[in-house]
Amino acid sequence: MPAQPANPAVLFVCLGNICRSPTAQGVFEHQLAQTELAGRVRVDSAGTAAYHLGKSPDSRAQSFATKRGIDLSSLKARQVTVNDFYTFDWILAMDRQNMANLEAIRPSDSTAQLVLFLSLLPNTTQLEVPDPYFGGEEGFETVLDLCETASQALLDRLKQEVLN
Ligand code: 4NP
């Protein structure tokens, strides 16, 4: 019998780890639970900034996620660490500024795949998940919509890598 590939680990990263990346984590975990990869992927999120360490996701992010059946209430903000580059296989950045911050601390021997989350979507013109923090409530719906689409693409990619 061929050896099973190792179980992948994925980390979603935004600025504060209270809006976009916990939403992406919750959406991805929700979708993952309905696939044959359930229980085989480690999922986490982090922020490049330390503004909100230990805080729960923004109440607006939580309430819009709840409407889609996604519970973010147990998540707590943390800052990304250099060690994350060795313990995660995929690091998904929400926007170019987060990407630049991550590239600035990425160790040269890291094997993690560091990409813009939306770049997993074929033929997309939108590469950034817009920061909803200082905007209106519709921004949180947009974040959820984008996360749902890109999470599906990430799941498909992981299925190809792990199950084939
Ligand atoms: P996030 O949103 O990066 O999606 O968690 C933000 C949260 C907090 C701040 C900025 C963006 N802030 O400036 O405090």
mmCIF file with all atom_site columns, all heavy atoms in Angstrom, residues 12-14 16-29 45-46 56-58 61 65 70-72 75-77 94 147:
data_model
loop_
_atom_site.group_PDB
_atom_site.id
_atom_site.type_symbol
_atom_site.label_atom_id
_atom_site.label_alt_id
_atom_site.label_comp_id
_atom_site.label_asym_id
_atom_site.label_entity_id
_atom_site.label_seq_id
_atom_site.pdbx_PDB_ins_code
_atom_site.Cartn_x
_atom_site.Cartn_y
_atom_site.Cartn_z
_atom_site.occupancy
_atom_site.B_iso_or_equiv
_atom_site.pdbx_formal_charge
_atom_site.auth_seq_id
_atom_site.auth_comp_id
_atom_site.auth_asym_id
_atom_site.auth_atom_id
_atom_site.pdbx_PDB_model_num
ATOM 1   N N   . PHE A 1 12  ? -4.343  30.992 7.755  1.00 0.00 ? 12  PHE A N   1
ATOM 2   C CA  . PHE A 1 12  ? -4.887  32.197 7.113  1.00 0.00 ? 12  PHE A CA  1
ATOM 3   C C   . PHE A 1 12  ? -4.362  33.417 7.865  1.00 0.00 ? 12  PHE A C   1
ATOM 4   O O   . PHE A 1 12  ? -4.407  33.451 9.100  1.00 0.00 ? 12  PHE A O   1
ATOM 5   C CB  . PHE A 1 12  ? -6.424  32.167 7.157  1.00 0.00 ? 12  PHE A CB  1
ATOM 6   C CG  . PHE A 1 12  ? -7.019  31.001 6.415  1.00 0.00 ? 12  PHE A CG  1
ATOM 7   C CD1 . PHE A 1 12  ? -7.404  29.847 7.087  1.00 0.00 ? 12  PHE A CD1 1
ATOM 8   C CD2 . PHE A 1 12  ? -7.169  31.051 5.034  1.00 0.00 ? 12  PHE A CD2 1
ATOM 9   C CE1 . PHE A 1 12  ? -7.941  28.760 6.401  1.00 0.00 ? 12  PHE A CE1 1
ATOM 10  C CE2 . PHE A 1 12  ? -7.704  29.976 4.333  1.00 0.00 ? 12  PHE A CE2 1
ATOM 11  C CZ  . PHE A 1 12  ? -8.088  28.831 5.021  1.00 0.00 ? 12  PHE A CZ  1
ATOM 12  N N   . VAL A 1 13  ? -3.888  34.413 7.104  1.00 0.00 ? 13  VAL A N   1
ATOM 13  C CA  . VAL A 1 13  ? -3.256  35.565 7.748  1.00 0.00 ? 13  VAL A CA  1
ATOM 14  C C   . VAL A 1 13  ? -3.832  36.878 7.215  1.00 0.00 ? 13  VAL A C   1
ATOM 15  O O   . VAL A 1 13  ? -3.907  37.101 5.998  1.00 0.00 ? 13  VAL A O   1
ATOM 16  C CB  . VAL A 1 13  ? -1.730  35.549 7.532  1.00 0.00 ? 13  VAL A CB  1
ATOM 17  C CG1 . VAL A 1 13  ? -1.087  36.777 8.168  1.00 0.00 ? 13  VAL A CG1 1
ATOM 18  C CG2 . VAL A 1 13  ? -1.116  34.274 8.115  1.00 0.00 ? 13  VAL A CG2 1
ATOM 19  N N   . CYS A 1 14  ? -4.245  37.757 8.150  1.00 0.00 ? 14  CYS A N   1
ATOM 20  C CA  . CYS A 1 14  ? -4.626  39.128 7.796  1.00 0.00 ? 14  CYS A CA  1
ATOM 21  C C   . CYS A 1 14  ? -3.832  40.073 8.694  1.00 0.00 ? 14  CYS A C   1
ATOM 22  O O   . CYS A 1 14  ? -2.776  39.697 9.202  1.00 0.00 ? 14  CYS A O   1
ATOM 23  C CB  . CYS A 1 14  ? -6.135  39.330 7.906  1.00 0.00 ? 14  CYS A CB  1
ATOM 24  S SG  . CYS A 1 14  ? -6.801  39.093 9.566  1.00 0.00 ? 14  CYS A SG  1
ATOM 25  N N   . GLY A 1 16  ? -5.144  42.096 11.592 1.00 0.00 ? 16  GLY A N   1
ATOM 26  C CA  . GLY A 1 16  ? -5.472  42.071 13.019 1.00 0.00 ? 16  GLY A CA  1
ATOM 27  C C   . GLY A 1 16  ? -5.881  40.722 13.569 1.00 0.00 ? 16  GLY A C   1
ATOM 28  O O   . GLY A 1 16  ? -5.961  40.532 14.776 1.00 0.00 ? 16  GLY A O   1
ATOM 29  N N   . ASN A 1 17  ? -6.182  39.757 12.685 1.00 0.00 ? 17  ASN A N   1
ATOM 30  C CA  . ASN A 1 17  ? -6.686  38.423 13.078 1.00 0.00 ? 17  ASN A CA  1
ATOM 31  C C   . ASN A 1 17  ? -8.002  38.521 13.866 1.00 0.00 ? 17  ASN A C   1
ATOM 32  O O   . ASN A 1 17  ? -8.261  37.695 14.741 1.00 0.00 ? 17  ASN A O   1
ATOM 33  C CB  . ASN A 1 17  ? -5.629  37.626 13.869 1.00 0.00 ? 17  ASN A CB  1
ATOM 34  C CG  . ASN A 1 17  ? -5.955  36.141 14.031 1.00 0.00 ? 17  ASN A CG  1
ATOM 35  O OD1 . ASN A 1 17  ? -5.563  35.517 15.024 1.00 0.00 ? 17  ASN A OD1 1
ATOM 36  N ND2 . ASN A 1 17  ? -6.648  35.557 13.096 1.00 0.00 ? 17  ASN A ND2 1
ATOM 37  N N   . ILE A 1 18  ? -8.802  39.541 13.534 1.00 0.00 ? 18  ILE A N   1
ATOM 38  C CA  . ILE A 1 18  ? -10.143 39.592 14.152 1.00 0.00 ? 18  ILE A CA  1
ATOM 39  C C   . ILE A 1 18  ? -11.261 39.691 13.109 1.00 0.00 ? 18  ILE A C   1
ATOM 40  O O   . ILE A 1 18  ? -12.431 39.579 13.459 1.00 0.00 ? 18  ILE A O   1
ATOM 41  C CB  . ILE A 1 18  ? -10.278 40.744 15.172 1.00 0.00 ? 18  ILE A CB  1
ATOM 42  C CG1 . ILE A 1 18  ? -9.953  42.093 14.540 1.00 0.00 ? 18  ILE A CG1 1
ATOM 43  C CG2 . ILE A 1 18  ? -9.441  40.475 16.411 1.00 0.00 ? 18  ILE A CG2 1
ATOM 44  C CD1 . ILE A 1 18  ? -10.383 43.274 15.415 1.00 0.00 ? 18  ILE A CD1 1
ATOM 45  N N   . CYS A 1 19  ? -10.934 39.942 11.850 1.00 0.00 ? 19  CYS A N   1
ATOM 46  C CA  . CYS A 1 19  ? -11.997 40.027 10.818 1.00 0.00 ? 19  CYS A CA  1
ATOM 47  C C   . CYS A 1 19  ? -11.799 38.986 9.715  1.00 0.00 ? 19  CYS A C   1
ATOM 48  O O   . CYS A 1 19  ? -12.502 37.975 9.666  1.00 0.00 ? 19  CYS A O   1
ATOM 49  C CB  . CYS A 1 19  ? -12.050 41.429 10.201 1.00 0.00 ? 19  CYS A CB  1
ATOM 50  S SG  . CYS A 1 19  ? -12.443 42.735 11.378 1.00 0.00 ? 19  CYS A SG  1
ATOM 51  N N   . ARG A 1 20  ? -10.852 39.240 8.810  1.00 0.00 ? 20  ARG A N   1
ATOM 52  C CA  . ARG A 1 20  ? -10.743 38.396 7.611  1.00 0.00 ? 20  ARG A CA  1
ATOM 53  C C   . ARG A 1 20  ? -10.214 36.992 7.874  1.00 0.00 ? 20  ARG A C   1
ATOM 54  O O   . ARG A 1 20  ? -10.808 36.002 7.417  1.00 0.00 ? 20  ARG A O   1
ATOM 55  C CB  . ARG A 1 20  ? -9.877  39.096 6.558  1.00 0.00 ? 20  ARG A CB  1
ATOM 56  C CG  . ARG A 1 20  ? -10.529 40.322 5.962  1.00 0.00 ? 20  ARG A CG  1
ATOM 57  C CD  . ARG A 1 20  ? -9.538  41.164 5.200  1.00 0.00 ? 20  ARG A CD  1
ATOM 58  N NE  . ARG A 1 20  ? -8.578  41.782 6.106  1.00 0.00 ? 20  ARG A NE  1
ATOM 59  C CZ  . ARG A 1 20  ? -7.537  42.503 5.739  1.00 0.00 ? 20  ARG A CZ  1
ATOM 60  N NH1 . ARG A 1 20  ? -7.309  42.684 4.445  1.00 0.00 ? 20  ARG A NH1 1
ATOM 61  N NH2 . ARG A 1 20  ? -6.741  43.040 6.625  1.00 0.00 ? 20  ARG A NH2 1
ATOM 62  N N   . SER A 1 21  ? -9.075  36.881 8.574  1.00 0.00 ? 21  SER A N   1
ATOM 63  C CA  . SER A 1 21  ? -8.488  35.534 8.698  1.00 0.00 ? 21  SER A CA  1
ATOM 64  C C   . SER A 1 21  ? -9.292  34.597 9.604  1.00 0.00 ? 21  SER A C   1
ATOM 65  O O   . SER A 1 21  ? -9.397  33.407 9.286  1.00 0.00 ? 21  SER A O   1
ATOM 66  C CB  . SER A 1 21  ? -7.006  35.581 9.079  1.00 0.00 ? 21  SER A CB  1
ATOM 67  O OG  . SER A 1 21  ? -6.790  36.205 10.311 1.00 0.00 ? 21  SER A OG  1
ATOM 68  N N   . PRO A 1 22  ? -9.902  35.087 10.715 1.00 0.00 ? 22  PRO A N   1
ATOM 69  C CA  . PRO A 1 22  ? -10.766 34.153 11.451 1.00 0.00 ? 22  PRO A CA  1
ATOM 70  C C   . PRO A 1 22  ? -11.998 33.758 10.633 1.00 0.00 ? 22  PRO A C   1
ATOM 71  O O   . PRO A 1 22  ? -12.478 32.629 10.726 1.00 0.00 ? 22  PRO A O   1
ATOM 72  C CB  . PRO A 1 22  ? -11.153 34.919 12.723 1.00 0.00 ? 22  PRO A CB  1
ATOM 73  C CG  . PRO A 1 22  ? -10.700 36.310 12.541 1.00 0.00 ? 22  PRO A CG  1
ATOM 74  C CD  . PRO A 1 22  ? -9.711  36.346 11.428 1.00 0.00 ? 22  PRO A CD  1
ATOM 75  N N   . THR A 1 23  ? -12.507 34.695 9.802  1.00 0.00 ? 23  THR A N   1
ATOM 76  C CA  . THR A 1 23  ? -13.629 34.349 8.921  1.00 0.00 ? 23  THR A CA  1
ATOM 77  C C   . THR A 1 23  ? -13.198 33.266 7.936  1.00 0.00 ? 23  THR A C   1
ATOM 78  O O   . THR A 1 23  ? -13.912 32.275 7.729  1.00 0.00 ? 23  THR A O   1
ATOM 79  C CB  . THR A 1 23  ? -14.118 35.605 8.166  1.00 0.00 ? 23  THR A CB  1
ATOM 80  O OG1 . THR A 1 23  ? -14.573 36.569 9.117  1.00 0.00 ? 23  THR A OG1 1
ATOM 81  C CG2 . THR A 1 23  ? -15.237 35.275 7.195  1.00 0.00 ? 23  THR A CG2 1
ATOM 82  N N   . ALA A 1 24  ? -12.015 33.451 7.334  1.00 0.00 ? 24  ALA A N   1
ATOM 83  C CA  . ALA A 1 24  ? -11.511 32.442 6.395  1.00 0.00 ? 24  ALA A CA  1
ATOM 84  C C   . ALA A 1 24  ? -11.338 31.093 7.100  1.00 0.00 ? 24  ALA A C   1
ATOM 85  O O   . ALA A 1 24  ? -11.699 30.044 6.545  1.00 0.00 ? 24  ALA A O   1
ATOM 86  C CB  . ALA A 1 24  ? -10.177 32.901 5.807  1.00 0.00 ? 24  ALA A CB  1
ATOM 87  N N   . GLN A 1 25  ? -10.802 31.125 8.328  1.00 0.00 ? 25  GLN A N   1
ATOM 88  C CA  . GLN A 1 25  ? -10.626 29.881 9.082  1.00 0.00 ? 25  GLN A CA  1
ATOM 89  C C   . GLN A 1 25  ? -11.971 29.194 9.316  1.00 0.00 ? 25  GLN A C   1
ATOM 90  O O   . GLN A 1 25  ? -12.117 27.989 9.084  1.00 0.00 ? 25  GLN A O   1
ATOM 91  C CB  . GLN A 1 25  ? -9.936  30.176 10.425 1.00 0.00 ? 25  GLN A CB  1
ATOM 92  C CG  . GLN A 1 25  ? -9.794  28.924 11.289 1.00 0.00 ? 25  GLN A CG  1
ATOM 93  C CD  . GLN A 1 25  ? -9.086  29.168 12.614 1.00 0.00 ? 25  GLN A CD  1
ATOM 94  O OE1 . GLN A 1 25  ? -8.610  30.291 12.888 1.00 0.00 ? 25  GLN A OE1 1
ATOM 95  N NE2 . GLN A 1 25  ? -8.996  28.147 13.425 1.00 0.00 ? 25  GLN A NE2 1
ATOM 96  N N   . GLY A 1 26  ? -12.960 29.980 9.773  1.00 0.00 ? 26  GLY A N   1
ATOM 97  C CA  . GLY A 1 26  ? -14.273 29.404 10.072 1.00 0.00 ? 26  GLY A CA  1
ATOM 98  C C   . GLY A 1 26  ? -14.955 28.853 8.827  1.00 0.00 ? 26  GLY A C   1
ATOM 99  O O   . GLY A 1 26  ? -15.516 27.753 8.848  1.00 0.00 ? 26  GLY A O   1
ATOM 100 N N   . VAL A 1 27  ? -14.874 29.600 7.738  1.00 0.00 ? 27  VAL A N   1
ATOM 101 C CA  . VAL A 1 27  ? -15.485 29.154 6.477  1.00 0.00 ? 27  VAL A CA  1
ATOM 102 C C   . VAL A 1 27  ? -14.799 27.875 5.993  1.00 0.00 ? 27  VAL A C   1
ATOM 103 O O   . VAL A 1 27  ? -15.461 26.889 5.614  1.00 0.00 ? 27  VAL A O   1
ATOM 104 C CB  . VAL A 1 27  ? -15.367 30.265 5.408  1.00 0.00 ? 27  VAL A CB  1
ATOM 105 C CG1 . VAL A 1 27  ? -15.655 29.712 4.017  1.00 0.00 ? 27  VAL A CG1 1
ATOM 106 C CG2 . VAL A 1 27  ? -16.312 31.414 5.729  1.00 0.00 ? 27  VAL A CG2 1
ATOM 107 N N   . PHE A 1 28  ? -13.473 27.876 6.029  1.00 0.00 ? 28  PHE A N   1
ATOM 108 C CA  . PHE A 1 28  ? -12.732 26.709 5.532  1.00 0.00 ? 28  PHE A CA  1
ATOM 109 C C   . PHE A 1 28  ? -13.038 25.479 6.394  1.00 0.00 ? 28  PHE A C   1
ATOM 110 O O   . PHE A 1 28  ? -13.269 24.386 5.871  1.00 0.00 ? 28  PHE A O   1
ATOM 111 C CB  . PHE A 1 28  ? -11.236 27.013 5.507  1.00 0.00 ? 28  PHE A CB  1
ATOM 112 C CG  . PHE A 1 28  ? -10.425 25.887 4.960  1.00 0.00 ? 28  PHE A CG  1
ATOM 113 C CD1 . PHE A 1 28  ? -10.394 25.630 3.596  1.00 0.00 ? 28  PHE A CD1 1
ATOM 114 C CD2 . PHE A 1 28  ? -9.713  25.049 5.803  1.00 0.00 ? 28  PHE A CD2 1
ATOM 115 C CE1 . PHE A 1 28  ? -9.665  24.568 3.075  1.00 0.00 ? 28  PHE A CE1 1
ATOM 116 C CE2 . PHE A 1 28  ? -8.973  23.996 5.298  1.00 0.00 ? 28  PHE A CE2 1
ATOM 117 C CZ  . PHE A 1 28  ? -8.949  23.754 3.941  1.00 0.00 ? 28  PHE A CZ  1
ATOM 118 N N   . GLU A 1 29  ? -13.039 25.651 7.719  1.00 0.00 ? 29  GLU A N   1
ATOM 119 C CA  . GLU A 1 29  ? -13.319 24.508 8.609  1.00 0.00 ? 29  GLU A CA  1
ATOM 120 C C   . GLU A 1 29  ? -14.733 23.976 8.369  1.00 0.00 ? 29  GLU A C   1
ATOM 121 O O   . GLU A 1 29  ? -14.953 22.758 8.402  1.00 0.00 ? 29  GLU A O   1
ATOM 122 C CB  . GLU A 1 29  ? -13.158 24.929 10.078 1.00 0.00 ? 29  GLU A CB  1
ATOM 123 C CG  . GLU A 1 29  ? -11.688 25.060 10.463 1.00 0.00 ? 29  GLU A CG  1
ATOM 124 C CD  . GLU A 1 29  ? -11.468 25.572 11.874 1.00 0.00 ? 29  GLU A CD  1
ATOM 125 O OE1 . GLU A 1 29  ? -12.363 26.262 12.404 1.00 0.00 ? 29  GLU A OE1 1
ATOM 126 O OE2 . GLU A 1 29  ? -10.384 25.293 12.434 1.00 0.00 ? 29  GLU A OE2 1
ATOM 127 N N   . SER A 1 45  ? -5.420  30.591 12.158 1.00 0.00 ? 45  SER A N   1
ATOM 128 C CA  . SER A 1 45  ? -5.296  31.921 11.569 1.00 0.00 ? 45  SER A CA  1
ATOM 129 C C   . SER A 1 45  ? -4.458  32.782 12.493 1.00 0.00 ? 45  SER A C   1
ATOM 130 O O   . SER A 1 45  ? -4.298  32.474 13.683 1.00 0.00 ? 45  SER A O   1
ATOM 131 C CB  . SER A 1 45  ? -6.682  32.548 11.330 1.00 0.00 ? 45  SER A CB  1
ATOM 132 O OG  . SER A 1 45  ? -7.360  32.744 12.553 1.00 0.00 ? 45  SER A OG  1
ATOM 133 N N   . ALA A 1 46  ? -3.919  33.867 11.924 1.00 0.00 ? 46  ALA A N   1
ATOM 134 C CA  . ALA A 1 46  ? -3.040  34.757 12.694 1.00 0.00 ? 46  ALA A CA  1
ATOM 135 C C   . ALA A 1 46  ? -3.038  36.122 12.025 1.00 0.00 ? 46  ALA A C   1
ATOM 136 O O   . ALA A 1 46  ? -3.474  36.277 10.880 1.00 0.00 ? 46  ALA A O   1
ATOM 137 C CB  . ALA A 1 46  ? -1.620  34.183 12.747 1.00 0.00 ? 46  ALA A CB  1
ATOM 138 N N   . SER A 1 56  ? -11.458 37.931 20.783 1.00 0.00 ? 56  SER A N   1
ATOM 139 C CA  . SER A 1 56  ? -12.354 37.166 19.911 1.00 0.00 ? 56  SER A CA  1
ATOM 140 C C   . SER A 1 56  ? -12.525 37.925 18.603 1.00 0.00 ? 56  SER A C   1
ATOM 141 O O   . SER A 1 56  ? -12.278 39.136 18.542 1.00 0.00 ? 56  SER A O   1
ATOM 142 C CB  . SER A 1 56  ? -13.725 37.029 20.572 1.00 0.00 ? 56  SER A CB  1
ATOM 143 O OG  . SER A 1 56  ? -13.593 36.382 21.805 1.00 0.00 ? 56  SER A OG  1
ATOM 144 N N   . PRO A 1 57  ? -12.984 37.244 17.557 1.00 0.00 ? 57  PRO A N   1
ATOM 145 C CA  . PRO A 1 57  ? -13.259 37.950 16.307 1.00 0.00 ? 57  PRO A CA  1
ATOM 146 C C   . PRO A 1 57  ? -14.237 39.112 16.516 1.00 0.00 ? 57  PRO A C   1
ATOM 147 O O   . PRO A 1 57  ? -15.096 39.059 17.405 1.00 0.00 ? 57  PRO A O   1
ATOM 148 C CB  . PRO A 1 57  ? -13.862 36.869 15.412 1.00 0.00 ? 57  PRO A CB  1
ATOM 149 C CG  . PRO A 1 57  ? -13.269 35.597 15.927 1.00 0.00 ? 57  PRO A CG  1
ATOM 150 C CD  . PRO A 1 57  ? -13.161 35.781 17.415 1.00 0.00 ? 57  PRO A CD  1
ATOM 151 N N   . ASP A 1 58  ? -14.082 40.141 15.706 1.00 0.00 ? 58  ASP A N   1
ATOM 152 C CA  . ASP A 1 58  ? -14.970 41.315 15.692 1.00 0.00 ? 58  ASP A CA  1
ATOM 153 C C   . ASP A 1 58  ? -16.431 40.846 15.719 1.00 0.00 ? 58  ASP A C   1
ATOM 154 O O   . ASP A 1 58  ? -16.799 39.887 15.032 1.00 0.00 ? 58  ASP A O   1
ATOM 155 C CB  . ASP A 1 58  ? -14.661 42.076 14.387 1.00 0.00 ? 58  ASP A CB  1
ATOM 156 C CG  . ASP A 1 58  ? -15.419 43.372 14.282 1.00 0.00 ? 58  ASP A CG  1
ATOM 157 O OD1 . ASP A 1 58  ? -16.633 43.323 13.981 1.00 0.00 ? 58  ASP A OD1 1
ATOM 158 O OD2 . ASP A 1 58  ? -14.792 44.424 14.449 1.00 0.00 ? 58  ASP A OD2 1
ATOM 159 N N   . ALA A 1 61  ? -18.051 40.411 12.364 1.00 0.00 ? 61  ALA A N   1
ATOM 160 C CA  . ALA A 1 61  ? -17.609 39.197 11.669 1.00 0.00 ? 61  ALA A CA  1
ATOM 161 C C   . ALA A 1 61  ? -18.337 37.989 12.235 1.00 0.00 ? 61  ALA A C   1
ATOM 162 O O   . ALA A 1 61  ? -18.806 37.111 11.497 1.00 0.00 ? 61  ALA A O   1
ATOM 163 C CB  . ALA A 1 61  ? -16.098 39.024 11.814 1.00 0.00 ? 61  ALA A CB  1
ATOM 164 N N   . ALA A 1 65  ? -21.119 35.704 10.146 1.00 0.00 ? 65  ALA A N   1
ATOM 165 C CA  . ALA A 1 65  ? -20.747 34.290 9.983  1.00 0.00 ? 65  ALA A CA  1
ATOM 166 C C   . ALA A 1 65  ? -21.844 33.390 10.558 1.00 0.00 ? 65  ALA A C   1
ATOM 167 O O   . ALA A 1 65  ? -22.201 32.363 9.957  1.00 0.00 ? 65  ALA A O   1
ATOM 168 C CB  . ALA A 1 65  ? -19.410 34.016 10.662 1.00 0.00 ? 65  ALA A CB  1
ATOM 169 N N   . ILE A 1 70  ? -21.819 29.510 10.662 1.00 0.00 ? 70  ILE A N   1
ATOM 170 C CA  . ILE A 1 70  ? -20.399 29.385 11.004 1.00 0.00 ? 70  ILE A CA  1
ATOM 171 C C   . ILE A 1 70  ? -20.134 30.074 12.338 1.00 0.00 ? 70  ILE A C   1
ATOM 172 O O   . ILE A 1 70  ? -20.457 31.254 12.519 1.00 0.00 ? 70  ILE A O   1
ATOM 173 C CB  . ILE A 1 70  ? -19.529 30.002 9.888  1.00 0.00 ? 70  ILE A CB  1
ATOM 174 C CG1 . ILE A 1 70  ? -19.730 29.193 8.600  1.00 0.00 ? 70  ILE A CG1 1
ATOM 175 C CG2 . ILE A 1 70  ? -18.062 30.044 10.285 1.00 0.00 ? 70  ILE A CG2 1
ATOM 176 C CD1 . ILE A 1 70  ? -19.269 29.904 7.347  1.00 0.00 ? 70  ILE A CD1 1
ATOM 177 N N   . ASP A 1 71  ? -19.579 29.327 13.278 1.00 0.00 ? 71  ASP A N   1
ATOM 178 C CA  . ASP A 1 71  ? -19.362 29.823 14.639 1.00 0.00 ? 71  ASP A CA  1
ATOM 179 C C   . ASP A 1 71  ? -17.884 30.199 14.818 1.00 0.00 ? 71  ASP A C   1
ATOM 180 O O   . ASP A 1 71  ? -17.012 29.340 14.764 1.00 0.00 ? 71  ASP A O   1
ATOM 181 C CB  . ASP A 1 71  ? -19.753 28.709 15.624 1.00 0.00 ? 71  ASP A CB  1
ATOM 182 C CG  . ASP A 1 71  ? -19.542 29.123 17.065 1.00 0.00 ? 71  ASP A CG  1
ATOM 183 O OD1 . ASP A 1 71  ? -19.280 30.319 17.337 1.00 0.00 ? 71  ASP A OD1 1
ATOM 184 O OD2 . ASP A 1 71  ? -19.634 28.226 17.932 1.00 0.00 ? 71  ASP A OD2 1
ATOM 185 N N   . LEU A 1 72  ? -17.637 31.494 15.022 1.00 0.00 ? 72  LEU A N   1
ATOM 186 C CA  . LEU A 1 72  ? -16.251 31.961 15.201 1.00 0.00 ? 72  LEU A CA  1
ATOM 187 C C   . LEU A 1 72  ? -15.932 32.236 16.670 1.00 0.00 ? 72  LEU A C   1
ATOM 188 O O   . LEU A 1 72  ? -14.834 32.718 16.988 1.00 0.00 ? 72  LEU A O   1
ATOM 189 C CB  . LEU A 1 72  ? -16.031 33.264 14.409 1.00 0.00 ? 72  LEU A CB  1
ATOM 190 C CG  . LEU A 1 72  ? -16.343 33.269 12.915 1.00 0.00 ? 72  LEU A CG  1
ATOM 191 C CD1 . LEU A 1 72  ? -16.046 34.649 12.313 1.00 0.00 ? 72  LEU A CD1 1
ATOM 192 C CD2 . LEU A 1 72  ? -15.550 32.189 12.187 1.00 0.00 ? 72  LEU A CD2 1
ATOM 193 N N   . LEU A 1 75  ? -12.549 31.399 18.617 1.00 0.00 ? 75  LEU A N   1
ATOM 194 C CA  . LEU A 1 75  ? -11.239 31.807 18.081 1.00 0.00 ? 75  LEU A CA  1
ATOM 195 C C   . LEU A 1 75  ? -10.670 32.978 18.881 1.00 0.00 ? 75  LEU A C   1
ATOM 196 O O   . LEU A 1 75  ? -11.406 33.813 19.396 1.00 0.00 ? 75  LEU A O   1
ATOM 197 C CB  . LEU A 1 75  ? -11.376 32.183 16.606 1.00 0.00 ? 75  LEU A CB  1
ATOM 198 C CG  . LEU A 1 75  ? -11.937 31.068 15.707 1.00 0.00 ? 75  LEU A CG  1
ATOM 199 C CD1 . LEU A 1 75  ? -12.032 31.545 14.269 1.00 0.00 ? 75  LEU A CD1 1
ATOM 200 C CD2 . LEU A 1 75  ? -11.080 29.812 15.810 1.00 0.00 ? 75  LEU A CD2 1
ATOM 201 N N   . LYS A 1 76  ? -9.353  33.024 18.983 1.00 0.00 ? 76  LYS A N   1
ATOM 202 C CA  . LYS A 1 76  ? -8.665  34.103 19.704 1.00 0.00 ? 76  LYS A CA  1
ATOM 203 C C   . LYS A 1 76  ? -7.503  34.601 18.842 1.00 0.00 ? 76  LYS A C   1
ATOM 204 O O   . LYS A 1 76  ? -6.740  33.787 18.307 1.00 0.00 ? 76  LYS A O   1
ATOM 205 C CB  . LYS A 1 76  ? -8.103  33.589 21.033 1.00 0.00 ? 76  LYS A CB  1
ATOM 206 C CG  . LYS A 1 76  ? -9.182  33.164 22.031 1.00 0.00 ? 76  LYS A CG  1
ATOM 207 C CD  . LYS A 1 76  ? -9.773  34.376 22.764 1.00 0.00 ? 76  LYS A CD  1
ATOM 208 C CE  . LYS A 1 76  ? -10.802 33.990 23.803 1.00 0.00 ? 76  LYS A CE  1
ATOM 209 N NZ  . LYS A 1 76  ? -12.158 33.812 23.254 1.00 0.00 ? 76  LYS A NZ  1
ATOM 210 N N   . ALA A 1 77  ? -7.366  35.933 18.769 1.00 0.00 ? 77  ALA A N   1
ATOM 211 C CA  . ALA A 1 77  ? -6.337  36.502 17.893 1.00 0.00 ? 77  ALA A CA  1
ATOM 212 C C   . ALA A 1 77  ? -4.927  36.205 18.408 1.00 0.00 ? 77  ALA A C   1
ATOM 213 O O   . ALA A 1 77  ? -4.657  36.249 19.618 1.00 0.00 ? 77  ALA A O   1
ATOM 214 C CB  . ALA A 1 77  ? -6.533  38.016 17.790 1.00 0.00 ? 77  ALA A CB  1
ATOM 215 N N   . MET A 1 94  ? -4.262  37.591 3.099  1.00 0.00 ? 94  MET A N   1
ATOM 216 C CA  . MET A 1 94  ? -5.517  38.219 2.658  1.00 0.00 ? 94  MET A CA  1
ATOM 217 C C   . MET A 1 94  ? -5.292  39.393 1.704  1.00 0.00 ? 94  MET A C   1
ATOM 218 O O   . MET A 1 94  ? -6.177  39.698 0.899  1.00 0.00 ? 94  MET A O   1
ATOM 219 C CB  . MET A 1 94  ? -6.346  38.699 3.859  1.00 0.00 ? 94  MET A CB  1
ATOM 220 C CG  . MET A 1 94  ? -6.823  37.583 4.733  1.00 0.00 ? 94  MET A CG  1
ATOM 221 S SD  . MET A 1 94  ? -7.969  36.469 3.892  1.00 0.00 ? 94  MET A SD  1
ATOM 222 C CE  . MET A 1 94  ? -7.348  34.905 4.473  1.00 0.00 ? 94  MET A CE  1
ATOM 223 N N   . CYS A 1 147 ? -14.292 34.482 0.895  1.00 0.00 ? 147 CYS A N   1
ATOM 224 C CA  . CYS A 1 147 ? -13.712 33.346 1.626  1.00 0.00 ? 147 CYS A CA  1
ATOM 225 C C   . CYS A 1 147 ? -14.376 32.039 1.218  1.00 0.00 ? 147 CYS A C   1
ATOM 226 O O   . CYS A 1 147 ? -13.710 31.005 1.091  1.00 0.00 ? 147 CYS A O   1
ATOM 227 C CB  . CYS A 1 147 ? -13.828 33.553 3.138  1.00 0.00 ? 147 CYS A CB  1
ATOM 228 S SG  . CYS A 1 147 ? -12.670 34.778 3.784  1.00 0.00 ? 147 CYS A SG  1
#
